[in-house]
Structure formats: C-alpha cells, structure tokens
Amino acid sequence: MAAAEGEDYVDPVTLRAQARSQRKSLGRLSILIRQSVRLVWASGRGLFVGLLALQIAAALALAGQVLAVQAVLAAILDLDGSGATAALWTSVLVLAGLTAVTSIIGAVQGHMQRLLGELVARSMWDQVLDVSTGVGLSSFESPDFFNRLQRVQSNALSRPYQVTQGLIAMGGALAASIGVGAALVSISPLLLPLLVVGGLPVLLTSRRESRLEFDFSVAQTPVLRMRQYLTLVQTGRDEAKEIRAFNLADWLHGRFDTAYGTYLGALAHHLRRRATLSAIGNLGSAVVLVLTLGALVWLILDGQVTVAGAGAAIVAIRMLASQVQTLFAGVQRIFESGLFLEDLQGFLRLAEPAKEDAHGPEAPTGFGAVTADDVHFTYPGSELPAVRGATVELRAGEVVAIVGENGSGKTTLAKILAGLYTPDEGAVRWDGTDIRAWSLASVRSRIAVIFQDFVRYALSAEDNIAIGDVSRPPDPARLRASTRAAGATGAIESLPDGYATPLSRLFAGGRDLSGGQWQRVAIARGYYRDAPFVILDEPSAALDPRAEYDLFASLRHTLEGRTALFISHRFSTVRSADRIYVMAEGRVVEHGTHDELMAADGQYAELFSLQAAAYLNAEQA
Ligand SMILES: Nc1ncnc2c1ncn2[C@@H]1O[C@H](COP(=O)(O)OP(=O)(O)OP(=O)(O)O)[C@@H](O)[C@H]1O
Ligand SMILES: [Mg+2]
C-alpha cells in the first residue's frame, strides 16, 4: 500500500514544472475544464443549466441596452421643443426595462451560484473524506500527507467550482461581447478589434499571477498548519486544564503570533507582487481603451459617426471593455485553478489503493491458529525498525499475552496482527495462509481491536459502544451484555439519560467519564463486535488493581471461545494467560506459560519479581 502511495505522489515542485512545460497547451486547459464541468454537472445540473441560460439572457439584455441608448439619444436630438415624443418615452421605458432585467438576473444568479457552490463543495468533501478515511494508516505518519490534505482543504476543494464559475462568467461575457460587439459594429466596425486587443495585457500578466499564487500556497502550507495547530491547542477542551496549570497562555500566544507574523509578512510580499502584475496588465488595457476612445473622436470629427451613434458607442465601449476583461479573467481563473486541481486529482487518486483493500476473496469466518511469522516493520520515515523479527502464535480460543517495556514494539505488533500495517518482511498467517491472500477489509472485519489510545467519541454512550460494529443495526441486548462484561453498566446507568447521554461536555446534556470508566466503555466496544479475534492493547492501564484483576479473570468467560491477545505492563495480571510473549527492542525474547518463564529465570522472571517486590514494599509501607 505504501509503495502505491509513493508512486502516486507528485510533489508540488514537479507539478509546477510539469505545468510550466505544458502551459501553452490548450489540451491541458480543456482537460481541466472537462473535469470541472463533469463534477459540477454531477452535483447540480439543473442549477448549472439555469445559470448558463441566465447568462445568455443577460447578454441579450446588455446588447439591447446599447441599442436603446442610441434610440434615446436619437429621440432627444429629434426633439423640436413641443414636448416629449412617443418615440422618446418608448425608448426610455425600454432602456429602463432592460436595465432592470439585467440587475434582476444578476441578483438571481448570485443566489443560484451560492447554492451550486455548496452542492459542489459537498461532493468534493465526500471525495476528500473518502481519501482521508481510506488511505493506509502509514499516510498518517507523514507530514507530506498532512501538507497535501491541508492544501486540498484550504485551496483545492473550492477550485472545481471556481473553474465552472469562471466558465459560466466566460460564457456570459462571450455572449455579451458578441451582442454588444454586434451593436457596436452596427455603429462603426473599426472600434471592435481595438477593444479585443485591450484584454490581452491582462491575460499575459495573469498567467504569471496564477503561478505565483500556487507557489505561495505550497510554501505557506507548513506555517499555516502550525498556526492552526496552535489555535487548536488554545481552544481545545483537553488542553485547557494543562494550559492553566502550566500557565502557558502567553507562551502559546507568542508562538501563535510569531507564526501568524511570518505568514503575514509573506502574504504582504506576495500580494505586492500580484498587485504590481495586475496593475501592469490593467494599465496596458487602459492604454488600449484610450486609443479606442481616441479613434472614436476621430470618427466623429471625420463625420463617419452620428452624435447619437457616438453616445451609444461610448456606452458600448465601456460595456465591452468590462466584458472582455471578464472573459480574460475567466481564463485566468481557470489557469490559476489548474495547478490546484492537478494537486487535488493527485490527492484523490490516493484512495485507489484503499479501494483494493475491499478486493479479493473473503477471509474465512474463523481460524485454527493465527501466527505472526518472523515479522519486521519500520515506520515510514523512521530509521530504526519498531519490530525486528517477531514470531507469535495464538491458537483458537486461547488468551495470549504480550508484555514488555515501553517502546518494545507491542502496539506495533498488534497493529500488524490486526492487518493495519503490512510487515516489511515475514507475514501474518491464518492456518498457514498469508492474510494478504484475502481482502484486507474482510480480514479486519473478523478482528476487534481496542487501542491503548482508543477514541472517545463525543457521541452517546450507546453510539460509543455500538460503534464496535456498524455493519448491522444496533442490537440492544448485545449492547447491554457487552457493557456488563466490560464492567461499564454502573457508570452508564448512573448517567442522566443512560445510554442516550452524550459522553462529552461539547454537547447539551453531555457528561464526561473518568479515565477508567472510559476504558470500560472502550472494552465494551471491543466485546460488542462479533469477531473471532480480539486484541486488547493495555485495556487495563487506567483501571484500579481490583478492576484489572476482575477484567482479566473474567476475560475467558466473556470471550466465549474467542481468541484474545492481551497487552499489558502488569505481569501479575497476565500470569494465567495460556502463553506469554516477552518483547524487548522489537524482538520476542522469551515465551511460555508463567511457570515456564519463571523456571527459565530470564527477563520475565526478573521483571516479575521486580514488580512483585514493588507491590510488597508498597503494601508494607
Ligand atoms: N507512529 C509511529 N511512527 C514512528 N515510530 C513509531 C510510531 N509508533 C511507535 N513508534 C516507535 O516504534 C517503537 C515501538 O513502539 P510501540 O508503540 O510498538 O511500543 P509499545 O511496546 O507498544 O510501547 P508502550 O508500552 O509504551 O505502549 C518505539 O521505538 C516507538 O518510538
Ligand atoms: Mg503500546
């Protein structure tokens, strides 16, 4: 999985270089446009078509305005002092009507665009969340992944819609340009080419602007993420107590200000460059506009244009200049989005390997034995392996324990057994078959794993337990049985709304639980899942000694024949396990029953005696 992600990953620098080399190709532009339109079409085709139709209507109304201005002027010049003529009234009313239509269309379009924007955003979020929940766990070890995720969220997500908006604006501007252009040609054909040339300077400078924008976004992503992280720390509920206890407010605030300051400095520099570029482009266009108006004056002096025609031409030139600008701004917007869209497409492709997890034959519903066979694993980006040649075996129905010091590789081995990480060497087998022979999703569906750092969902107590198996509707009887087996019944029944109480102060009526009570809820979550293989990573760390003893003692009964892997630091707890594996520095250094290991007088015996002595001392004290 990791390898596939590596192949797909195109870093922003390469992306930009590719874009630079292809930037002249209209092919790239047409691909971007097609992708964006397909997406917007799929999200809200009715609105899309409606917006296009309104653009055309607005364009026609605009062209009509030019002709109406001409008619009004002609009617005014025709006045002979005997009061307003019918022709004047009619043309004024038509002009007013067309102006009103144009502004009404503008307002309606604004509302429709807002709705369409949200529809597109929803389908984009669907896709992005598919990636973030579907990629291999190892992606979450890599800052690169988070930088991309950030870029996608803060920039790329809105781009497909912007491209389409640019297209709609371009379509409208094009239609309006043609309409107003035709009206202008009917007054004087000379003026039109000059106006079209007027858009070119803006187009040229905006290419450069779009690359600047992408570079800026890439460069600022890490700083932005740090700033967001510092915001989370200062607004988080869990952090609030420590910030006060350690008096961290000023210190954290200072860090935040520094990060923000760095960003603002870079932003000011970036905006100055963009502003300079667009000023140059617009000045160029303005010069062409002056030339056009100069040409008009010459035409009037030369007697080629009537006074009414000249008045209408001035209105048309203003309208057309702004339409041509809109047209080129649309092109710019599409180019600017181009690099972000490619970044987004690359990100969305990351979900493809995840979809393969669901491919392949179904794993069997049970097994005679699970083995980790000489497995090795190094975390991406780490130098030292976390697990280096570990072999363990769990026969069906057994309760097997792993003990070992902090960092000895217990959790990593558990994740490998759970099919969450693929070992670099060696394999996890069920009755001799490598689990990679089956769809990984089906393997995982046969395993219940409760992590050391399980998630405390800010949802109801019922949800927090039933989340253990969402493949079927919640089963109240099973829910209560799991809660009872985990010893969580007391804690949940004393909540104001029982199982319906949200387990977080974030929401109205919510309550928080103690560390040990939470741990029981997590254990209930594991029991609730109807899986033949249960992995409990230090499920008792927050429990008091009596609770821990009860938990392990009742485990065999609770599991009803399921196979369990129990990770713990407390040797006394696991002494009745069928087999105990002792890990040190990523290796299994000893294994056997408690009695065998004590007789061997190795590391287990030494650590067991150490802990026992500590308990005895504590009791004597
Ligand atoms: N996500 C990670 N990325 C990189 N290295 C990691 C990651 N998680 C753990 N490690 C490293 O792998 C080694 C084994 O860690 P692991 O979490 O498996 O130990 P453990 O035996 O479960 O420890 P503990 O008793 O503290 O829970 C450690 O050296 C640790 O620093
Ligand atoms: Mg651990």
Side-chain angles (χ1 to χ4, degrees):
M1 207 183 298
E5 278 158 26
E7 282 158 27
D8 261 326
Y9 181 69
V10 184
D11 66 83
V13 179
T14 320
L15 211 59
R16 190 180 181 287
Q18 281 173 359
R20 191 187 269 273
S21 68
Q22 303 167 345
R23 70 170 190 263
K24 290 206 177 64
S25 91
L26 279 176
R28 183 172 147 254
L29 186 66
S30 80
I31 292 174
L32 292 175
I33 292 177
R34 246 180 294 143
Q35 280 173 347
S36 304
V37 168
R38 206 177 305 139
L39 184 99
V40 175
W41 184 255
S43 319
R45 68 192 59 174
L47 279 172
F48 184 53
V49 171
L51 277 168
L52 280 179
L54 283 181
Q55 284 288 24
I56 292 171
L60 290 177
L62 218 53
Q65 280 183 47
V66 174
L67 297 178
V69 166
Q70 194 179 13
V72 170
L73 287 176
I76 291 175
L77 292 172
D78 271 354
L79 291 180
D80 52 12
S82 61
T85 58
L88 180 56
W89 279 121
T90 318
S91 51
V92 166
L93 282 179
V94 169
L95 181 59
L98 287 173
T99 313
V101 166
T102 310
S103 26
I104 292 171
I105 290 180
V108 172
Q109 273 181 325
H111 300 311
M112 285 168 74
Q113 289 196 353
R114 181 167 160 196
L115 192 58
L116 185 59
E118 286 296 342
L119 289 176
V120 175
R122 184 181 64 181
S123 56
M124 291 312 301
W125 270 109
D126 276 346
Q127 295 188 43
V128 169
L129 294 178
D130 265 353
V131 174
S132 72
T133 54
V135 289
L137 204 51
S138 54
S139 293
F140 286 86
E141 317 290 348
S142 125
D144 257 349
F145 176 77
F146 289 111
N147 283 337
R148 294 190 82 185
L149 187 59
Q150 174 69 50
R151 273 206 309 278
V152 162
Q153 283 179 17
S154 59
N155 261 307
L157 212 53
S158 56
R159 294 287 169 169
Y161 178 61
Q162 287 186 9
V163 167
T164 320
Q165 239 184 352
L167 272 179
I168 293 175
M170 272 169 69
L174 196 65
S177 302
I178 292 173
V180 177
L184 188 61
V185 166
S186 78
I187 298 165
S188 165
L190 256 178
L191 298 170
L192 189 63
L194 270 173
L195 274 169
V196 174
V197 173
L200 281 181
V202 174
L203 183 67
L204 291 178
T205 47
S206 62
R207 286 248 183 127
R208 172 113 185 86
E209 275 189 66
S210 66
R211 286 199 303 278
L212 281 181
E213 190 62 43
F214 183 69
D215 287 351
F216 177 72
S217 161
V218 169
Q220 291 305 315
T221 305
V223 185
L224 179 68
R225 280 185 45 223
M226 175 50 82
R227 204 178 82 213
Q228 288 184 342
Y229 172 71
L230 290 169
T231 315
L232 281 181
V233 169
Q234 290 173 85
T235 53
R237 178 176 180 274
D238 293 340
E239 291 84 353
K241 55 182 175 301
E242 195 155 314
I243 288 174
R244 283 152 186 79
F246 284 107
N247 206 1
L248 298 181
D250 290 344
W251 186 81
L252 281 169
H253 225 89
R255 286 236 164 161
F256 176 81
D257 278 342
T258 311
Y260 219 141
T262 312
Y263 170 74
L264 282 177
L267 180 67
H269 176 69
H270 168 68
L271 291 179
R272 268 198 303 277
R273 287 174 73 184
R274 271 201 79 154
T276 311
L277 275 171
S278 56
I280 292 173
N282 285 311
L283 270 179
S285 296
V287 168
V288 183
L289 189 62
V290 168
L291 288 179
T292 315
L293 290 171
L296 181 63
V297 171
W298 177 76
L299 286 173
I300 298 170
L301 293 179
D302 207 40
Q304 292 192 36
V305 177
T306 63
V307 177
I314 289 180
V315 174
I317 288 170
R318 269 306 304 138
M319 281 181 181
L320 204 56
S322 80
Q323 292 301 329
V324 168
Q325 285 227 356
T326 310
L327 193 66
F328 286 125
V331 176
Q332 182 208 350
R333 208 191 279 197
I334 293 173
F335 268 120
E336 175 164 322
S337 297
L339 287 162
F340 289 103
L341 278 177
E342 279 168 38
D343 202 22
L344 174 68
Q345 294 298 337
F347 182 80
L348 293 181
R349 275 198 298 277
L350 292 179
E352 282 159 20
K355 293 193 184 103
E356 282 162 24
D357 281 3
H359 286 202
E362 281 274 303
T365 50
F367 47 75
V370 175
T371 50
D373 202 354
D374 191 27
V375 292
H376 294 250
F377 184 77
T378 306
Y379 282 100
S382 298
E383 320 233 297
L384 291 177
V387 172
R388 43 184 114 192
T391 299
V392 298
E393 183 184 26
L394 297 95
R395 289 192 281 269
E398 280 184 339
V399 174
V400 170
I402 301 183
V403 294
E405 293 178 355
N406 289 137
S408 56
K410 306 181 296 294
T411 297
T412 310
L413 183 59
K415 288 181 190 160
I416 293 172
L417 280 164
L420 292 167
Y421 284 129
T422 309
D424 302 329
E425 282 174 57
V428 175
R429 298 181 213 279
W430 287 12
D431 300 332
T433 307
D434 190 330
I435 56 171
R436 277 170 282 189
W438 304 305
S439 102
L440 266 178
S442 75
V443 170
R444 289 179 197 145
S445 74
R446 316 274 189 258
I447 302 172
V449 42
I450 293 305
F451 294 105
Q452 220 169 343
D453 50 353
F454 60 87
V455 180
R456 297 158 191 230
Y457 296 96
L459 301 172
S460 69
E462 170 173 335
D463 287 341
N464 261 288
I465 295 170
I467 233 164
D469 185 2
V470 292
S471 67
R472 58 190 111 199
D475 171 351
R478 193 173 174 80
L479 194 75
R480 284 179 215 313
S482 315
T483 311
R484 200 174 327 109
T489 308
I492 290 180
E493 283 181 351
S494 64
L495 292 169
D497 283 324
Y499 281 93
T501 316
L503 294 188
S504 165
R505 291 277 187 190
L506 281 181
F507 298 109
R511 289 286 182 280
D512 210 347
L513 299 178
S514 77
Q517 288 169 332
W518 259 117
Q519 201 147 36
R520 290 164 195 264
V521 168
I523 295 166
R525 187 183 299 163
Y527 288 162
Y528 182 80
R529 192 174 180 81
D530 186 14
F533 184 17
V534 181
I535 298 174
L536 299 161
D537 189 356
E538 295 192 36
S540 49
L543 299 188
D544 57 72
R546 179 192 299 280
E548 181 184 11
Y549 179 83
D550 291 345
L551 172 72
F552 195 79
S554 65
L555 192 62
R556 229 177 270 272
H557 171 70
T558 309
L559 289 171
E560 296 169 330
R562 293 188 262 176
T563 312
L565 181 70
F566 195 102
I567 298 176
S568 178
H569 281 292
R570 289 189 230 178
F571 289 46
S572 53
T573 305
V574 299
R575 60 186 289 175
S576 65
D578 292 308
R579 208 164 30 269
I580 300 165
Y581 289 90
V582 184
M583 288 194 73
E585 295 179 350
R587 293 190 181 83
V588 170
V589 289
E590 288 172 56
H591 66 98
T593 60
H594 170 77
D595 292 339
E596 286 165 3
L597 288 168
M598 289 307 282
D601 200 20
Q603 214 180 90
Y604 178 86
E606 184 195 339
L607 289 170
F608 183 86
S609 310
L610 207 67
Q611 284 193 0
Y615 272 119
L616 280 179
N617 288 342
E619 265 171 29
Q620 281 159 7

